[in-house]
Amino acid sequence: MSEDIAVTGIGLVTPGGIGTEATWRAVCAGRATARTDPLLADAGAPVRLSCRVPPQERVRGRLWRFDPATRFLLTAAREALASARLDPAEWTPGRVAVVVGTAAGGIGTLETQHRKLLTSGPGALSPMTLPAFLPNMAAGQLALELGSTGPSLQTSTACASGATAIITACLLLRAGACDIAVAGGTDAMVTPLCASAFAKTGALSRRERDPGGASRPFDLDRDGFVLGEGCGVLILERADHAAARSVRPTALLAGYGATGDAHHPTAPHPEGAGLRAATGEALARAGRTPGEVDHINAHGTSTALNDAVEATAIRKLYGCGDGPSVTSAKGVLGHTMGAAGAIEAALTVLSIARATVPPTANFTTPDDATAGIDIVRTAARPQRVRLALSHSLGFGGHNTVLALTGV
């Protein structure tokens, strides 16, 4: 049995657009998607900026009953399966796993139904309340949609959830528990409760007079992230399984690392110790060294603390000068929470496959922490990427690093 894990399909639903190509074009153009959000404004939220997914063109059949997080997932999964040339009618259902990361499940549904309970009583509740908001139900609904009867589960490590799902799927494949894994992350946390709660922590940008410039990863003038929503899905298979189907992988998942900071509920370790340890694990599993890393898709939230800590970790690992190129998609897409790790893993795969590194939108003024780091700015950069890392960090001290290579 092959130990190599192949990425054979990608599906994306993001504020940059519905579909992989729409998202890639937006990120490569550095086109920020943050806007003033009427729903947050009407609810009196203290911060009214968001990065929303464009209205979906097709909400057919029973999809209207689902929370947006599940709708995003079903749409992204369909695209990923098509790009992997997989037809659920032709596979062995018990050999297909579904692993989905989320930070908050169907939180929008829960908020809406709670308001109904308070204003109109229990009789006003939708019978779909529980199936729509329970954190495991996105994976459950996708498995139902696909008819897959292999392992089906949801992971939750805050903003690292999507990356954790990819690692979990890799473990299931290597353990022989499945032949195909539909893995990713989804979240729809642009809600009054979430926006107000994040505002209380001081994590959100308040640059409301300049929405497009609000999310500015690593920039000296950053003041917080912009709340986003979306979904990313990867199709993973053991390389021998993909070869047997005569499908050429887009990239290989060569290694992974996962650590905990055990430091603070919301702040990362000040020296980035957990991130550096996760990077070491990922490179060791891939049989590579820091000097071989060509590119990093950073977590890069645009918060003062996260960006400084991540930059510190990068400087300690690679030094200054000839280190890897670094980018963050959050200047364009905002912070999509539990979806971010999967969306950014997909963008990292595309950087490898298309020899292109997107720019970090709104990064114009470096600070001391980023001095000497090669943060790509202004325009997409042609670059041969042989080994790339995707960083994800989450409240609770979660650190995940995915190591991806070309084929």
Side-chain angles (χ1 to χ4, degrees), residues 261-292:
D261 279 345
H263 168 69
H264 189 275
T266 59
H269 187 280
E271 299 295 323
L275 175 58
R276 285 186 284 128
T279 300
E281 285 186 7
L283 291 175
R285 287 192 171 97
R288 303 298 187 95
T289 66
E292 295 178 86

PDB file of all heavy atoms in Angstrom, residues 261-292:
ATOM      1  N   ASP A 261      -0.162  24.812  21.906  1.00  0.00           N
ATOM      2  CA  ASP A 261       0.706  25.757  22.598  1.00  0.00           C
ATOM      3  C   ASP A 261       0.698  25.569  24.114  1.00  0.00           C
ATOM      4  O   ASP A 261       1.705  25.825  24.782  1.00  0.00           O
ATOM      5  CB  ASP A 261       0.260  27.200  22.305  1.00  0.00           C
ATOM      6  CG  ASP A 261       0.762  27.706  20.957  1.00  0.00           C
ATOM      7  OD1 ASP A 261       1.666  27.068  20.385  1.00  0.00           O
ATOM      8  OD2 ASP A 261       0.255  28.742  20.497  1.00  0.00           O
ATOM      9  N   ALA A 262      -0.462  25.185  24.686  1.00  0.00           N
ATOM     10  CA  ALA A 262      -0.609  25.131  26.152  1.00  0.00           C
ATOM     11  C   ALA A 262      -0.120  26.451  26.766  1.00  0.00           C
ATOM     12  O   ALA A 262       0.641  26.453  27.745  1.00  0.00           O
ATOM     13  CB  ALA A 262       0.146  23.935  26.735  1.00  0.00           C
ATOM     14  N   HIS A 263      -0.567  27.555  26.177  1.00  0.00           N
ATOM     15  CA  HIS A 263      -0.059  28.865  26.599  1.00  0.00           C
ATOM     16  C   HIS A 263      -1.172  29.817  27.013  1.00  0.00           C
ATOM     17  O   HIS A 263      -1.113  30.419  28.067  1.00  0.00           O
ATOM     18  CB  HIS A 263       0.761  29.473  25.453  1.00  0.00           C
ATOM     19  CG  HIS A 263       1.085  30.919  25.642  1.00  0.00           C
ATOM     20  ND1 HIS A 263       1.966  31.360  26.607  1.00  0.00           N
ATOM     21  CD2 HIS A 263       0.613  32.043  25.009  1.00  0.00           C
ATOM     22  CE1 HIS A 263       2.041  32.682  26.563  1.00  0.00           C
ATOM     23  NE2 HIS A 263       1.227  33.113  25.611  1.00  0.00           N
ATOM     24  N   HIS A 264      -2.230  29.954  26.161  1.00  0.00           N
ATOM     25  CA  HIS A 264      -3.254  30.977  26.414  1.00  0.00           C
ATOM     26  C   HIS A 264      -4.500  30.599  25.604  1.00  0.00           C
ATOM     27  O   HIS A 264      -4.378  30.019  24.521  1.00  0.00           O
ATOM     28  CB  HIS A 264      -2.734  32.352  25.966  1.00  0.00           C
ATOM     29  CG  HIS A 264      -3.602  33.502  26.374  1.00  0.00           C
ATOM     30  ND1 HIS A 264      -4.697  33.916  25.626  1.00  0.00           N
ATOM     31  CD2 HIS A 264      -3.531  34.339  27.444  1.00  0.00           C
ATOM     32  CE1 HIS A 264      -5.267  34.940  26.231  1.00  0.00           C
ATOM     33  NE2 HIS A 264      -4.587  35.222  27.336  1.00  0.00           N
ATOM     34  N   PRO A 265      -5.710  30.945  26.104  1.00  0.00           N
ATOM     35  CA  PRO A 265      -6.915  30.563  25.343  1.00  0.00           C
ATOM     36  C   PRO A 265      -6.995  31.190  23.955  1.00  0.00           C
ATOM     37  O   PRO A 265      -7.510  30.567  23.014  1.00  0.00           O
ATOM     38  CB  PRO A 265      -8.060  31.052  26.229  1.00  0.00           C
ATOM     39  CG  PRO A 265      -7.487  31.156  27.599  1.00  0.00           C
ATOM     40  CD  PRO A 265      -6.041  31.522  27.417  1.00  0.00           C
ATOM     41  N   THR A 266      -6.542  32.427  23.805  1.00  0.00           N
ATOM     42  CA  THR A 266      -6.703  33.101  22.513  1.00  0.00           C
ATOM     43  C   THR A 266      -5.397  33.592  21.893  1.00  0.00           C
ATOM     44  O   THR A 266      -5.355  33.833  20.686  1.00  0.00           O
ATOM     45  CB  THR A 266      -7.656  34.318  22.651  1.00  0.00           C
ATOM     46  OG1 THR A 266      -7.109  35.230  23.629  1.00  0.00           O
ATOM     47  CG2 THR A 266      -9.048  33.879  23.096  1.00  0.00           C
ATOM     48  N   ALA A 267      -4.353  33.753  22.667  1.00  0.00           N
ATOM     49  CA  ALA A 267      -3.089  34.299  22.136  1.00  0.00           C
ATOM     50  C   ALA A 267      -2.125  33.164  21.780  1.00  0.00           C
ATOM     51  O   ALA A 267      -2.008  32.190  22.533  1.00  0.00           O
ATOM     52  CB  ALA A 267      -2.440  35.211  23.167  1.00  0.00           C
ATOM     53  N   PRO A 268      -1.417  33.287  20.656  1.00  0.00           N
ATOM     54  CA  PRO A 268      -0.410  32.273  20.340  1.00  0.00           C
ATOM     55  C   PRO A 268       0.814  32.421  21.236  1.00  0.00           C
ATOM     56  O   PRO A 268       1.019  33.476  21.856  1.00  0.00           O
ATOM     57  CB  PRO A 268      -0.054  32.589  18.877  1.00  0.00           C
ATOM     58  CG  PRO A 268      -0.350  34.055  18.726  1.00  0.00           C
ATOM     59  CD  PRO A 268      -1.512  34.338  19.631  1.00  0.00           C
ATOM     60  N   HIS A 269       1.626  31.390  21.291  1.00  0.00           N
ATOM     61  CA  HIS A 269       2.866  31.459  22.054  1.00  0.00           C
ATOM     62  C   HIS A 269       3.714  32.619  21.512  1.00  0.00           C
ATOM     63  O   HIS A 269       3.880  32.752  20.292  1.00  0.00           O
ATOM     64  CB  HIS A 269       3.635  30.143  21.932  1.00  0.00           C
ATOM     65  CG  HIS A 269       4.833  30.061  22.819  1.00  0.00           C
ATOM     66  ND1 HIS A 269       6.037  30.665  22.505  1.00  0.00           N
ATOM     67  CD2 HIS A 269       5.013  29.463  24.027  1.00  0.00           C
ATOM     68  CE1 HIS A 269       6.904  30.433  23.468  1.00  0.00           C
ATOM     69  NE2 HIS A 269       6.318  29.700  24.400  1.00  0.00           N
ATOM     70  N   PRO A 270       4.260  33.464  22.372  1.00  0.00           N
ATOM     71  CA  PRO A 270       4.926  34.692  21.884  1.00  0.00           C
ATOM     72  C   PRO A 270       6.126  34.433  20.991  1.00  0.00           C
ATOM     73  O   PRO A 270       6.498  35.299  20.181  1.00  0.00           O
ATOM     74  CB  PRO A 270       5.335  35.404  23.181  1.00  0.00           C
ATOM     75  CG  PRO A 270       5.256  34.375  24.257  1.00  0.00           C
ATOM     76  CD  PRO A 270       4.199  33.425  23.847  1.00  0.00           C
ATOM     77  N   GLU A 271       6.758  33.290  21.107  1.00  0.00           N
ATOM     78  CA  GLU A 271       7.904  32.976  20.247  1.00  0.00           C
ATOM     79  C   GLU A 271       7.519  32.046  19.098  1.00  0.00           C
ATOM     80  O   GLU A 271       8.385  31.579  18.360  1.00  0.00           O
ATOM     81  CB  GLU A 271       9.018  32.324  21.083  1.00  0.00           C
ATOM     82  CG  GLU A 271       9.560  33.197  22.201  1.00  0.00           C
ATOM     83  CD  GLU A 271      10.254  34.444  21.663  1.00  0.00           C
ATOM     84  OE1 GLU A 271      10.920  34.334  20.625  1.00  0.00           O
ATOM     85  OE2 GLU A 271      10.095  35.516  22.259  1.00  0.00           O
ATOM     86  N   GLY A 272       6.227  31.742  18.999  1.00  0.00           N
ATOM     87  CA  GLY A 272       5.795  30.827  17.942  1.00  0.00           C
ATOM     88  C   GLY A 272       6.333  29.420  18.120  1.00  0.00           C
ATOM     89  O   GLY A 272       6.561  28.699  17.139  1.00  0.00           O
ATOM     90  N   ALA A 273       6.511  29.005  19.376  1.00  0.00           N
ATOM     91  CA  ALA A 273       7.128  27.705  19.635  1.00  0.00           C
ATOM     92  C   ALA A 273       6.290  26.557  19.059  1.00  0.00           C
ATOM     93  O   ALA A 273       6.842  25.617  18.477  1.00  0.00           O
ATOM     94  CB  ALA A 273       7.323  27.514  21.138  1.00  0.00           C
ATOM     95  N   GLY A 274       4.976  26.640  19.236  1.00  0.00           N
ATOM     96  CA  GLY A 274       4.121  25.564  18.730  1.00  0.00           C
ATOM     97  C   GLY A 274       4.130  25.489  17.219  1.00  0.00           C
ATOM     98  O   GLY A 274       4.134  24.402  16.633  1.00  0.00           O
ATOM     99  N   LEU A 275       4.118  26.648  16.561  1.00  0.00           N
ATOM    100  CA  LEU A 275       4.156  26.662  15.093  1.00  0.00           C
ATOM    101  C   LEU A 275       5.486  26.099  14.594  1.00  0.00           C
ATOM    102  O   LEU A 275       5.523  25.328  13.632  1.00  0.00           O
ATOM    103  CB  LEU A 275       3.950  28.089  14.589  1.00  0.00           C
ATOM    104  CG  LEU A 275       4.078  28.281  13.075  1.00  0.00           C
ATOM    105  CD1 LEU A 275       3.093  27.400  12.314  1.00  0.00           C
ATOM    106  CD2 LEU A 275       3.875  29.744  12.712  1.00  0.00           C
ATOM    107  N   ARG A 276       6.570  26.462  15.248  1.00  0.00           N
ATOM    108  CA  ARG A 276       7.876  25.938  14.813  1.00  0.00           C
ATOM    109  C   ARG A 276       7.956  24.428  15.024  1.00  0.00           C
ATOM    110  O   ARG A 276       8.499  23.700  14.189  1.00  0.00           O
ATOM    111  CB  ARG A 276       8.995  26.655  15.568  1.00  0.00           C
ATOM    112  CG  ARG A 276       9.225  28.080  15.051  1.00  0.00           C
ATOM    113  CD  ARG A 276      10.428  28.730  15.700  1.00  0.00           C
ATOM    114  NE  ARG A 276      10.140  29.165  17.045  1.00  0.00           N
ATOM    115  CZ  ARG A 276      10.867  28.858  18.114  1.00  0.00           C
ATOM    116  NH1 ARG A 276      11.939  28.093  17.977  1.00  0.00           N
ATOM    117  NH2 ARG A 276      10.541  29.309  19.299  1.00  0.00           N
ATOM    118  N   ALA A 277       7.370  23.954  16.128  1.00  0.00           N
ATOM    119  CA  ALA A 277       7.383  22.511  16.373  1.00  0.00           C
ATOM    120  C   ALA A 277       6.542  21.774  15.323  1.00  0.00           C
ATOM    121  O   ALA A 277       6.939  20.703  14.829  1.00  0.00           O
ATOM    122  CB  ALA A 277       6.857  22.215  17.777  1.00  0.00           C
ATOM    123  N   ALA A 278       5.384  22.344  14.979  1.00  0.00           N
ATOM    124  CA  ALA A 278       4.537  21.725  13.950  1.00  0.00           C
ATOM    125  C   ALA A 278       5.248  21.705  12.600  1.00  0.00           C
ATOM    126  O   ALA A 278       5.148  20.741  11.832  1.00  0.00           O
ATOM    127  CB  ALA A 278       3.205  22.467  13.847  1.00  0.00           C
ATOM    128  N   THR A 279       5.974  22.785  12.297  1.00  0.00           N
ATOM    129  CA  THR A 279       6.741  22.827  11.049  1.00  0.00           C
ATOM    130  C   THR A 279       7.815  21.736  11.041  1.00  0.00           C
ATOM    131  O   THR A 279       8.015  21.044  10.027  1.00  0.00           O
ATOM    132  CB  THR A 279       7.390  24.204  10.876  1.00  0.00           C
ATOM    133  OG1 THR A 279       6.375  25.209  10.833  1.00  0.00           O
ATOM    134  CG2 THR A 279       8.210  24.276   9.598  1.00  0.00           C
ATOM    135  N   GLY A 280       8.489  21.587  12.186  1.00  0.00           N
ATOM    136  CA  GLY A 280       9.509  20.537  12.268  1.00  0.00           C
ATOM    137  C   GLY A 280       8.929  19.154  12.033  1.00  0.00           C
ATOM    138  O   GLY A 280       9.524  18.324  11.328  1.00  0.00           O
ATOM    139  N   GLU A 281       7.743  18.902  12.603  1.00  0.00           N
ATOM    140  CA  GLU A 281       7.088  17.608  12.399  1.00  0.00           C
ATOM    141  C   GLU A 281       6.747  17.400  10.924  1.00  0.00           C
ATOM    142  O   GLU A 281       6.961  16.323  10.360  1.00  0.00           O
ATOM    143  CB  GLU A 281       5.793  17.530  13.220  1.00  0.00           C
ATOM    144  CG  GLU A 281       5.990  17.322  14.702  1.00  0.00           C
ATOM    145  CD  GLU A 281       4.656  17.109  15.405  1.00  0.00           C
ATOM    146  OE1 GLU A 281       3.625  16.996  14.710  1.00  0.00           O
ATOM    147  OE2 GLU A 281       4.656  17.065  16.640  1.00  0.00           O
ATOM    148  N   ALA A 282       6.183  18.440  10.307  1.00  0.00           N
ATOM    149  CA  ALA A 282       5.760  18.315   8.907  1.00  0.00           C
ATOM    150  C   ALA A 282       6.953  18.033   7.997  1.00  0.00           C
ATOM    151  O   ALA A 282       6.894  17.162   7.106  1.00  0.00           O
ATOM    152  CB  ALA A 282       5.033  19.581   8.458  1.00  0.00           C
ATOM    153  N   LEU A 283       8.045  18.759   8.231  1.00  0.00           N
ATOM    154  CA  LEU A 283       9.226  18.568   7.377  1.00  0.00           C
ATOM    155  C   LEU A 283       9.863  17.200   7.632  1.00  0.00           C
ATOM    156  O   LEU A 283      10.330  16.535   6.695  1.00  0.00           O
ATOM    157  CB  LEU A 283      10.227  19.690   7.614  1.00  0.00           C
ATOM    158  CG  LEU A 283       9.791  21.071   7.111  1.00  0.00           C
ATOM    159  CD1 LEU A 283      10.808  22.141   7.510  1.00  0.00           C
ATOM    160  CD2 LEU A 283       9.631  21.059   5.591  1.00  0.00           C
ATOM    161  N   ALA A 284       9.885  16.773   8.884  1.00  0.00           N
ATOM    162  CA  ALA A 284      10.464  15.454   9.186  1.00  0.00           C
ATOM    163  C   ALA A 284       9.668  14.351   8.507  1.00  0.00           C
ATOM    164  O   ALA A 284      10.251  13.405   7.932  1.00  0.00           O
ATOM    165  CB  ALA A 284      10.498  15.251  10.698  1.00  0.00           C
ATOM    166  N   ARG A 285       8.344  14.444   8.554  1.00  0.00           N
ATOM    167  CA  ARG A 285       7.515  13.407   7.911  1.00  0.00           C
ATOM    168  C   ARG A 285       7.696  13.427   6.393  1.00  0.00           C
ATOM    169  O   ARG A 285       7.548  12.397   5.733  1.00  0.00           O
ATOM    170  CB  ARG A 285       6.047  13.603   8.275  1.00  0.00           C
ATOM    171  CG  ARG A 285       5.734  13.225   9.708  1.00  0.00           C
ATOM    172  CD  ARG A 285       4.227  13.142   9.956  1.00  0.00           C
ATOM    173  NE  ARG A 285       3.952  12.568  11.263  1.00  0.00           N
ATOM    174  CZ  ARG A 285       3.695  13.282  12.365  1.00  0.00           C
ATOM    175  NH1 ARG A 285       3.637  14.600  12.289  1.00  0.00           N
ATOM    176  NH2 ARG A 285       3.484  12.685  13.523  1.00  0.00           N
ATOM    177  N   ALA A 286       7.987  14.621   5.873  1.00  0.00           N
ATOM    178  CA  ALA A 286       8.196  14.731   4.424  1.00  0.00           C
ATOM    179  C   ALA A 286       9.630  14.382   4.029  1.00  0.00           C
ATOM    180  O   ALA A 286       9.936  14.303   2.829  1.00  0.00           O
ATOM    181  CB  ALA A 286       7.857  16.153   3.960  1.00  0.00           C
ATOM    182  N   GLY A 287      10.496  14.205   5.031  1.00  0.00           N
ATOM    183  CA  GLY A 287      11.904  13.919   4.736  1.00  0.00           C
ATOM    184  C   GLY A 287      12.626  15.104   4.124  1.00  0.00           C
ATOM    185  O   GLY A 287      13.540  14.941   3.319  1.00  0.00           O
ATOM    186  N   ARG A 288      12.235  16.314   4.550  1.00  0.00           N
ATOM    187  CA  ARG A 288      12.805  17.544   3.994  1.00  0.00           C
ATOM    188  C   ARG A 288      13.393  18.406   5.112  1.00  0.00           C
ATOM    189  O   ARG A 288      13.205  18.141   6.298  1.00  0.00           O
ATOM    190  CB  ARG A 288      11.733  18.327   3.238  1.00  0.00           C
ATOM    191  CG  ARG A 288      11.051  17.568   2.107  1.00  0.00           C
ATOM    192  CD  ARG A 288      12.033  17.178   1.017  1.00  0.00           C
ATOM    193  NE  ARG A 288      11.327  16.607  -0.138  1.00  0.00           N
ATOM    194  CZ  ARG A 288      10.971  17.316  -1.202  1.00  0.00           C
ATOM    195  NH1 ARG A 288      11.261  18.616  -1.267  1.00  0.00           N
ATOM    196  NH2 ARG A 288      10.336  16.731  -2.197  1.00  0.00           N
ATOM    197  N   THR A 289      14.095  19.465   4.697  1.00  0.00           N
ATOM    198  CA  THR A 289      14.703  20.401   5.638  1.00  0.00           C
ATOM    199  C   THR A 289      14.146  21.802   5.395  1.00  0.00           C
ATOM    200  O   THR A 289      13.601  22.079   4.306  1.00  0.00           O
ATOM    201  CB  THR A 289      16.228  20.442   5.444  1.00  0.00           C
ATOM    202  OG1 THR A 289      16.516  20.999   4.136  1.00  0.00           O
ATOM    203  CG2 THR A 289      16.830  19.045   5.545  1.00  0.00           C
ATOM    204  N   PRO A 290      14.291  22.713   6.366  1.00  0.00           N
ATOM    205  CA  PRO A 290      13.803  24.086   6.146  1.00  0.00           C
ATOM    206  C   PRO A 290      14.392  24.737   4.892  1.00  0.00           C
ATOM    207  O   PRO A 290      13.724  25.527   4.225  1.00  0.00           O
ATOM    208  CB  PRO A 290      14.235  24.812   7.427  1.00  0.00           C
ATOM    209  CG  PRO A 290      14.249  23.752   8.471  1.00  0.00           C
ATOM    210  CD  PRO A 290      14.743  22.514   7.769  1.00  0.00           C
ATOM    211  N   GLY A 291      15.629  24.410   4.570  1.00  0.00           N
ATOM    212  CA  GLY A 291      16.266  25.017   3.406  1.00  0.00           C
ATOM    213  C   GLY A 291      15.631  24.624   2.082  1.00  0.00           C
ATOM    214  O   GLY A 291      15.888  25.266   1.052  1.00  0.00           O
ATOM    215  N   GLU A 292      14.808  23.583   2.087  1.00  0.00           N
ATOM    216  CA  GLU A 292      14.162  23.129   0.852  1.00  0.00           C
ATOM    217  C   GLU A 292      12.794  23.763   0.635  1.00  0.00           C
ATOM    218  O   GLU A 292      12.176  23.552  -0.413  1.00  0.00           O
ATOM    219  CB  GLU A 292      14.014  21.608   0.862  1.00  0.00           C
ATOM    220  CG  GLU A 292      15.336  20.855   0.850  1.00  0.00           C
ATOM    221  CD  GLU A 292      15.121  19.362   0.908  1.00  0.00           C
ATOM    222  OE1 GLU A 292      14.934  18.734  -0.154  1.00  0.00           O
ATOM    223  OE2 GLU A 292      15.137  18.809   2.030  1.00  0.00           O
TER     224      GLU A 292
END
